Every structure is written in C-alpha cells, then in structure tokens.
Amino acid sequence: MRSTGANGLWASLPRDLGERFRPRADPLARAILQEVQRAVPEYAQPLEGAFGQIITQGIRQAILHCLDTVGQGTAPLDKWSAVFRNLGKVEFNEGRSLDCLQTAYRVGGRVAWRHVSEFGQAIGADADLLCTAAEAIFAYVDEISALSIEGYTAAQERAAGTRARRRRRLLELMLSDPPSSPQSIASHAANAQWALPTEITVVALERRLGPLDPDSADLDADVLVDFEGPKPCLVTGDPDKHLKDLAERLPGWRAVIGPAVRLTEAPRSLLWARRTLRLIQRGVLPDNPVTRYSDHLSTLWLLADEFLVRELCTRSLAPFDDLTPKQRARLGETLLIWLQSRGSAPEIAKKLKVHPQTVRYRMHQLIDLFGDRLNNADDRLDMEIALRAEALLAED
C-alpha cells in the first residue's frame, strides 16, 4: 500500500523522472520566489542580507529535497527539517504571524504543480503519474508548514520564558531594599519589554485555597508577578486598569493593595501591603479576598510600632492596674466612649445599652482613678490612643 506521506509519494515515482526534471530546478525556484513576493507584500523586499539568504535557501532546499526523494525516499531529513523549522523561528523573530509563511508555501505549491504539470505533458507522462506528483507536492506543503509551526512555537515559548525570567528579575530589583539604581531598573525594564511608569503599586499576595495554580490567574500581560517566591506579590503601573475585579482575576488568593508610590519607593509600597497582610493573618483586620491598605490607615498607624503602643498603654492606663479584667473592660469601654463623644450620661448609656445611672457610677469611678488627667487634653489623647490600640490588639 502506497504511503500518503510526501516522502512515500515521491518514492513511488520513477527515479529517472527526478533526474530529468533537475535542470528545471533553478527556473522553478526563481518562479516561486517571484510569485511569493507578488502574493505576500511582507516578502516584497530586496533579497540582500539574511532575509534574502533564508528565503532563497528555503525554496531551493524544498525543491532539491523533493528531487532527491523521487524514486527512493531516502533523502536526509535532518538538514531539510532544520531549514523549515528555522523559517518558523525567523518569522517569529521578525514579529510576523505565520500567515505570511503559510501563504508563501501555498503559492509555492501551486507554482511547483504548474511547472511539474507542464513538464509531465512535455514528456508524455500518464495521468496517474501526474496525479501522484500533485498529491506529493501538496502533502509536502502540509509537512513543511507543520515544521515551520514547530519552529515558530518553539521560538515563541523560548521568548516567553526569557521575558518571564527578565520580568521576574526586574521585579526583584524594584523591590530590593535599598532599591537598585534608576539606571539599572530602566535597563532591565527595556530588556524585559516593560514600559516604566511614573508610579507603581505593589500588591502582597497569599494563597488562601487549594494548591498553587499560577495559570488560573487572569492578569494583564503588563503586570509583573511573582507567584512562587516566599513572599508572592505583583506590581502594576496602572492599578485602576489592572486591579479591577482582582478577586475574580486571582481565584484562591488573598491580595492586599499597597500605596501608589514613585518607582524608587517600590519597597515602601510592599512594606505597607505586607504589614496590612500580617494584621489580616492575626485577625486584627477582616479577612477579605482583596484589601486596600488605604482603608485601614488609622489601624496601621496605631500598630506601626507595637512596642511603643504597649508602652503608651502601660503608662496612660496605669490607674486600671489594680482592677479585675471585668472591671477594666467595663470602665475602659465607658472611658473610650466618653473620650470620643464627651456626651452626657444618657447619651453614653444609649451607646453602651445600659442605664444612665450605671454610667454616672462608672464616671465617678473614672474620676477617682484618673483625677485631673481627665481634664488635660494631652492625657486624654494618650488615653484614647491606648484604648483604641488595646481594642485592636485584643482581637489578635
């Protein structure tokens, strides 16, 4: 049974047919090149240099391989395959789609069949022989197209991998503390094909559900991402565009959006995003799929230095030291509402959901404990800060 592959079809033809056609190889190559340049505007350029060498070599190699295979099917494959894979790589590197090359192959196949048909008629070849030759030509076009697709895809994947590595390195440089020089960042950004914005926003990430699956993320190509490092994060220069619907774009992840900062201050944006994330992990802040640091500025400020906060609590709330935890909680709650509102007993009682007389009793206790400090503005501010911080830390 005859093979339907191009090699098998060429091998089924008489050997002397290939030898008799060989003097026509160069005219056929010129005709194919002329028709290809007419049909594909992207190839209608002077043939000097690398482009001309590659396309003329490809056409000549295609014709010679077919002729070497006629009647025997034993032409060497490695060099032949490499030529057409390389053509696919060249197309990618030139920034073209495969459409141009595929069109060129189809045009070349039609021109080749026209020349082979004229040759066959001239030597009186029978119809079956010409049908086999036609089948071989178009099977061959399919095969070299497939080889070029392989080369194009390989170049595409290699470029994507290289760009991903360069962008990962750029992300590391931007977030290093102290950050790299602007010149170094600009150079790496150019190599990574990433347009440098005036400001950037860093988003701290944490896996919430299931195993890591970076492919599930639906992020814009201009977002720099590190999913697999010890402290995953992403960087964007256009948060309004790239961070919209972030929970849907990052299924299974917890994301904390840091402040927008100048490029040289990228570590600062990461710092505040991570501090916010830690407060979420501790239960101080609510656990949502996406959190903006800017929604919790007062909490972040209060707990920016917990040592100092605890020192302030110890000093400002010292009169509570001899109370039981239950007494301290009740008086602390009453004092905080009074400091916030400076309201009357009925107003405070309404907020506490207790009787006004209870509030009056507690206020007398507070006066006994704190005395004139309740009349000093600085002392009142310290007490309010301390009570707010205690309430936050109690949630930890």
Side-chain angles (χ1 to χ4, degrees), residues 12-13 30 45-46 74 84 86 184 201 231 240 269 332 348 394:
S12 69
L13 296 172
R30 289 193 294 271
Q45 55 180 288
T74 57
F84 297 102
N86 188 52
S184 177
T201 298
K231 296 180 179 179
D240 292 339
S269 183
I348 296 173

Side-chain angles (χ1 to χ4, degrees), residues 84-314:
F84 297 102
R85 287 194 183 95
N86 188 52
L87 278 170
K89 295 176 184 178
V90 169
E91 288 301 281
F92 176 80
N93 292 333
E94 291 292 325
R96 292 187 288 264
S97 72
L98 274 172
D99 294 343
C100 297
L101 192 57
Q102 302 286 43
T103 299
Y105 287 154
R106 289 193 295 271
V107 169
R110 289 198 300 269
V111 174
W113 164 238
R114 187 167 66 243
H115 279 245
V116 169
S117 175
E118 292 171 355
F119 168 73
Q121 292 175 19
I123 65 172
D126 61 44
D128 287 344
L129 200 66
L130 289 177
C131 286
T132 300
E135 193 178 352
I137 288 171
F138 294 109
Y140 186 68
V141 168
D142 288 342
E143 290 180 6
I144 61 177
S145 295
L147 288 169
S148 292
I149 290 173
E150 285 181 21
Y152 190 97
T153 302
Q156 195 174 41
E157 291 175 350
R158 184 168 59 251
T162 299
R163 190 176 74 166
R165 288 192 297 273
R166 287 175 176 173
R167 290 194 167 190
R168 175 71 176 275
R169 178 57 180 156
L170 172 62
L171 183 68
E172 293 172 353
L173 289 174
M174 290 170 59
L175 298 179
S176 62
D177 194 9
S180 299
S181 68
Q183 295 81 4
S184 177
I185 290 176
S187 174
H188 279 80
N191 289 335
Q193 298 177 320
W194 195 70
L196 281 177
T198 304
E199 289 188 334
I200 60 96
T201 298
V202 182
V203 179
L205 301 174
E206 183 180 47
R207 190 67 184 160
R208 302 174 73 213
L209 303 170
L212 175 64
D213 182 14
D215 293 334
S216 66
D218 180 24
L219 296 172
D220 191 281
D222 288 331
V223 176
L224 301 181
V225 180
D226 176 10
F227 282 126
E228 300 174 356
K231 296 180 179 179
C233 63
L234 64 83
V235 169
T236 173
D238 191 351
D240 292 339
K241 174 184 176 182
H242 297 156
L243 303 184
K244 185 180 180 181
D245 302 322
L246 191 58
E248 289 74 22
R249 293 174 178 270
L250 287 173
W253 289 86
R254 177 188 288 117
V256 178
I257 301 172
V261 297
R262 293 194 301 271
L263 197 63
T264 54
E265 295 183 323
R268 187 182 299 275
S269 183
L270 177 63
L271 169 70
W272 287 110
R274 292 217 173 278
R275 284 190 178 180
T276 307
L277 178 59
R278 284 196 294 272
L279 293 179
I280 294 171
Q281 292 166 340
R282 291 167 52 181
V284 175
L285 296 178
D287 184 7
N288 298 312
V290 178
T291 301
R292 292 184 178 275
Y293 108 106
S294 55
D295 292 338
H296 304 280
L297 292 177
S298 60
T299 300
L300 288 165
W301 173 75
L302 277 173
L303 303 183
D305 190 323
E306 293 189 27
F307 173 79
L308 290 181
V309 166
R310 295 183 190 279
E311 288 289 299
L312 178 63
C313 291
T314 298

Side-chain angles (χ1 to χ4, degrees), residues 4 20 47 53 74 151 239 241 256 276 293 325 335 368 388:
T4 56
R20 293 173 67 182
L47 298 180
Q53 183 179 2
T74 57
K241 174 184 176 182
V256 178
T276 307
Y293 108 106
L335 177 58
D368 289 340
R388 285 175 177 267

